[in-house]
Amino acid sequence: MDRFFFTAGAMMAFLAVGLGAFGAHALKERLTPEMLNIFEVGVRYHMYHALALLAVAWAISRWPENHLNAAGWAFIIGIVIFSGSLYVLSIFGIRWLGAITPIGGLAFLTGWAILVWSLGR
């Protein structure tokens, strides 16, 4: 699983950089400042948690245990739901997606809690 989460983290970081560039260049003139800010928050948390996936991969290689896998999956779910909903909200203006964004935030928090708990044992 360490290779899986390392690959996922690298791919997610690649995607975050690409989306950040897309937002800075292609969306700057098309979105309101408020919507561009929402998009940028999505990119920021996307990158933070791509790096967290790299940390999970490293931790699994050092301390293999199943709980660390759960942290990695929680980060992936968080990126998809939290950042994904912010991307769609900002680009397409689908406001109801804002209601599911906190679920992604809870997935991020769960991932960090599992990581702390697993490594603290």
Side-chain angles (χ1 to χ4, degrees), residues 36-115:
L36 188 59
N37 184 56
I38 290 170
F39 186 87
E40 289 172 350
V41 168
V43 171
R44 188 175 325 127
Y45 278 81
H46 187 150
M47 180 56 85
Y48 292 157
H49 291 88
L51 297 174
L53 284 167
L54 297 177
V56 166
W58 174 79
I60 289 171
S61 72
R62 180 134 161 89
W63 304 287
E65 60 178 79
N66 292 333
H67 297 98
L68 292 170
N69 292 338
W73 283 110
F75 291 144
I76 290 172
I77 291 166
I79 291 169
V80 170
I81 296 174
F82 183 88
S83 295
S85 67
L86 292 181
Y87 298 148
V88 174
L89 167 67
S90 61
I91 294 171
F92 299 108
I94 302 172
R95 292 251 180 227
W96 66 265
L97 280 173
I100 68 165
T101 304
I103 296 168
L106 286 173
F108 287 151
L109 290 170
T110 300
W112 288 111
I114 292 169
L115 194 60

